[in-house]
Amino acid sequence: MSYLVLARKWRPSNFSEVVGQDHAVAALKNSVSSKNIHHAYLFTGTRGIGKTSIARILAKALNCSELIDNTEPCNACESCTSINEGAAIDFIEVDAASRRGIEDTKNLLETISYLPSSSKYKIYLIDEVHMLTPESFNALLKNLEEPPPHVIFMFATTEYKKILPTIISRCLQINLSSVSVNVISNQLGEIFSKEKIKYDENSLKLIAEAAQGSIRDALSISEKVISFCNRNLKEKEVRDVLGIPEPEIIENLLKSILDEDVTEVLSILENYGEYEDHEFLLKSLMDLIQDIAISQFEKKGSKNNINDFLKTDPAKLQFLYQLGLSNLKHFSLGYDSFSILKMTLLKMIAFSPENQKKNSLKINDTVIKSDHLYATSSGKLVWVSYMYNYKAAIKGNLFQNGISKFHPKNINEFPKFKNYMDNWTNLALKRHDEFQEKLKIKSKIKLVSDIYDNQQNLDYYENLFTSLNINENEIDNKEEKEKKAKLAAEQKA
């Protein structure tokens, strides 16, 4: 087959060609030049960032007979060429996903005692090592701790947390990081120039962002885009191929959510299409929210497309981001992605703090906020303060004026609530034992986000106020009853 895909054609063959892993390359080159060779290496990181490629380069460097600058493999000697061609006898590469059983591991370990045929080291590279069974890991332990001097183990994995700690502790761990968008864009630009492919900078950025930190993914995506665009990449065509929405769509969507315009939100979704990548649309919306939130706290200038959003309440942006984040997991369930996206955006409107404030005063005995405890009762707000026992309560229509400033130490500043507070306190103290048993303040009070998301909390507080049997009539009518009793006594006299 004459054609070689870009991901294989441009695979690095020496340390200088590795992209975005400068920290790992520097450490390995120093190790090679100083002859401080570890007997086991563990390469970790996400997909497509160079774990296996760097392991192969290190293997070539360790066995190379003509090292360049005492660090780089020459790619010309017999050892280097045999590894490049996949024909090296002393470099054994194993796919743990297909050879994960104890018998496969035993067969592999039986060859360890044999000396290398033509190289300095016999090197075993086990890819996706986390796929090995526990029995296979245990079989490796002794050989991994004290291997023969001519043996070097190299492991590569995307999920090192699945590896036994006893294995990890015996290895030199090299953590590879995701590659930044700028680095991927620059690398794609160099490759496209050498491949004589036309492109614009925005196209490179779109591909780099879609790759999510993976060089291999970026090159695989490029294959598809190059075929569609006939080797002439333009931003609009790249967006169409990858299903990336225009920035204006995301901005209009966020504006409609902030304005609580349900009709406009549904219209944007219908125009976007039922068969597009709906998960990507939600992620793009979250990226925009993140950019706005960061710009609000930074002193630097912001992008032109988010200036209109900078006055948005930061707390609301955090609320929208958390809702989007919590709903991303539902896309993996295989259910209709369009419906998941639609309901997520409607939830952002329905559960917004503004909507909660509007609806909260219509619900009796519903918790509004918890600094200590807030609740509505028949459309009025109740605020409870406590220490070791029940101390004070204020009841009144305070919601519009803000709640946080109404603290017991300031109660004298609000004479019209003082009598009401005293009456409420006296009634509560009469039921002190019952109150302490049911409220359990320290363990039961939760933040507003928990309360909104958990109907059981709402039910708990509603039942609590009902069971205390402290109602408006007891408080509101107390003075009136006293006046009537006083008037009746005077009339009787």
Side-chain angles (χ1 to χ4, degrees):
M1 185 171 62
S2 57
Y3 180 73
L4 197 63
V5 297
L6 294 177
R8 293 182 61 189
K9 183 177 181 179
W10 293 97
R11 191 171 196 165
S13 59
N14 54 48
F15 287 124
S16 62
E17 295 176 1
V18 176
V19 174
Q21 308 297 341
D22 295 343
H23 63 290
V25 169
L28 294 174
K29 288 174 72 173
N30 290 337
S31 177
V32 172
S33 62
S34 62
K35 309 299 182 185
N36 294 327
I37 311 301
H38 203 276
H39 65 269
Y41 294 86
L42 174 61
F43 297 92
T44 66
T46 189
R47 68 193 185 283
I49 57 174
K51 298 183 297 299
T52 307
S53 297
I54 293 176
R56 289 177 178 173
I57 295 170
L58 177 60
K60 288 189 292 184
L62 294 178
N63 282 334
C64 182
S65 58
E66 302 290 338
L67 276 177
I68 300 174
D69 296 330
N70 207 30
T71 57
E72 293 278 13
C74 66
N75 287 311
C77 67
E78 181 183 353
S79 176
C80 289
T81 53
S82 62
I83 291 177
N84 287 335
E85 294 169 0
I89 298 176
D90 297 324
F91 177 68
I92 300 95
E93 187 170 347
V94 179
D95 175 26
S98 58
R99 299 177 61 184
R100 61 194 301 265
I102 182 64
E103 291 301 323
D104 296 316
T105 304
K106 283 182 178 179
N107 293 336
L108 185 70
L109 294 177
E110 286 176 358
T111 66
I112 285 181
S113 58
Y114 299 108
L115 294 173
S117 60
S118 58
S119 306
K120 184 176 181 180
Y121 296 105
K122 178 175 281 190
I123 300 173
Y124 293 85
L125 171 57
I126 303 180
D127 202 5
E128 300 300 337
V129 69
H130 66 273
M131 298 291 287
L132 291 179
T133 63
E135 293 78 13
S136 296
F137 276 127
N138 290 329
L140 279 173
L141 284 176
K142 187 60 180 175
N143 289 286
L144 194 59
E145 185 172 16
E146 298 178 357
H150 62 272
V151 171
I152 294 176
F153 287 100
M154 296 183 186
F155 302 134
T157 179
T158 54
E159 300 183 52
Y160 78 94
K161 291 182 179 180
K162 292 184 178 180
I163 302 175
L164 295 179
T166 49
I167 295 290
I168 295 177
S169 66
R170 288 165 166 80
C171 301
L172 177 62
Q173 188 170 344
I174 308 293
N175 298 313
L176 305 186
S177 56
S178 296
V179 186
S180 69
V181 171
N182 289 336
V183 172
I184 294 178
S185 296
N186 293 337
Q187 180 70 1
L188 290 178
E190 291 182 13
I191 292 174
F192 289 172
S193 298
K194 293 176 181 178
E195 292 285 336
K196 294 181 171 52
I197 297 170
K198 297 179 181 178
Y199 62 89
D200 57 42
E201 292 299 326
N202 288 335
S203 297
L204 295 185
K205 186 177 179 181
L206 289 174
I207 296 173
E209 289 175 347
Q212 297 182 338
S214 170
I215 289 285
R216 184 175 63 217
D217 283 11
L219 293 173
S220 298
I221 292 170
S222 298
E223 294 276 358
K224 178 170 62 174
V225 173
I226 291 168
S227 298
F228 182 86
C229 299
N230 195 23
R231 303 178 72 84
N232 185 9
L233 278 60
K234 297 180 180 178
E235 181 182 0
K236 187 179 185 308
E237 292 179 341
V238 172
R239 284 188 182 278
D240 292 340
V241 175
L242 301 182
I244 300 174
E246 295 285 346
E248 293 78 10
I249 295 177
I250 306 301
E251 292 163 18
N252 292 337
L253 186 60
L254 179 57
K255 184 178 185 303
S256 301
I257 293 172
L258 294 174
D259 294 341
E260 299 183 7
D261 189 344
V262 176
T263 303
E264 182 63 19
V265 168
L266 295 178
S267 175
I268 292 173
L269 289 181
E270 292 298 332
N271 293 333
Y272 179 68
E274 188 175 347
Y275 303 103
E276 298 293 341
D277 189 343
H278 303 114
E279 183 179 2
F280 190 87
L281 179 62
L282 180 58
K283 288 180 178 178
S284 299
L285 177 63
M286 292 171 63
D287 288 341
L288 176 59
I289 293 171
Q290 184 185 51
D291 289 342
I292 297 168
I294 292 173
S295 296
Q296 286 179 329
F297 290 97
E298 282 186 334
K299 302 294 184 183
K300 304 175 183 177
S302 57
K303 302 176 184 176
N304 293 331
N305 64 322
I306 65 174
N307 283 333
D308 295 339
F309 298 105
L310 293 179
K311 294 182 180 179
T312 306
D313 181 7
K316 183 163 186 176
L317 292 176
Q318 294 294 330
F319 169 77
L320 295 178
Y321 191 87
Q322 289 299 323
L323 266 182
L325 193 64
S326 64
N327 279 269
L328 277 177
K329 62 184 179 184
H330 299 309
F331 286 96
S332 62
L333 300 178
Y335 185 65
D336 179 16
S337 63
F338 188 59
S339 297
I340 294 174
L341 175 62
K342 188 182 297 184
M343 293 306 294
T344 299
L345 299 182
L346 292 179
K347 185 189 289 188
M348 289 179 175
I349 296 175
F351 284 7
S352 69
E354 290 81 0
N355 252 328
Q356 291 292 337
K357 289 177 181 178
K358 291 176 187 176
N359 297 329
S360 60
L361 295 179
K362 301 175 184 177
I363 305 172
N364 290 343
D365 298 328
T366 302
V367 174
I368 297 295
K369 189 175 181 181
S370 174
D371 179 15
H372 296 314
L373 170 66
Y374 298 98
T376 59
S377 177
S378 303
K380 291 185 178 181
L381 192 68
V382 174
W383 181 69
V384 178
S385 175
Y386 52 85
M387 289 176 65
Y388 296 105
N389 56 18
Y390 192 80
K391 284 285 187 182
I394 306 170
K395 188 170 184 179
N397 193 14
L398 312 179
F399 191 84
Q400 294 85 348
N401 299 324
I403 305 163
S404 59
K405 61 185 178 183
F406 290 93
H407 194 275
K409 66 182 180 181
N410 297 326
I411 192 60
N412 291 326
E413 299 174 14
F414 304 96
K416 61 181 180 179
F417 298 121
K418 192 170 189 314
N419 289 335
Y420 204 93
M421 179 202 73
D422 293 337
N423 293 335
W424 220 102
T425 302
N426 291 334
L427 286 168
L429 288 172
K430 290 178 182 178
R431 303 176 179 86
H432 178 268
D433 293 338
E434 181 182 3
F435 184 87
Q436 288 291 349
E437 180 181 354
K438 292 190 176 182
L439 188 54
K440 297 180 181 176
I441 293 171
K442 290 185 178 179
S443 61
K444 292 296 184 181
I445 300 299
K446 292 194 175 183
L447 294 177
V448 61
S449 58
D450 296 328
I451 293 167
Y452 284 145
D453 290 339
N454 190 341
Q455 183 63 37
Q456 290 181 350
N457 284 330
L458 298 178
D459 294 340
Y460 169 79
Y461 288 111
E462 184 173 355
N463 294 334
L464 170 64
F465 277 87
T466 302
S467 63
L468 284 175
N469 197 25
I470 300 176
N471 54 55
E472 288 187 66
N473 293 332
E474 280 188 277
I475 302 172
D476 292 335
N477 299 331
K478 183 176 180 181
E479 292 183 4
E480 187 178 343
K481 288 177 181 178
E482 289 177 351
K483 289 178 181 179
K484 287 180 180 181
K486 186 178 180 179
L487 183 60
E490 289 176 353
Q491 290 175 351
K492 186 175 180 181

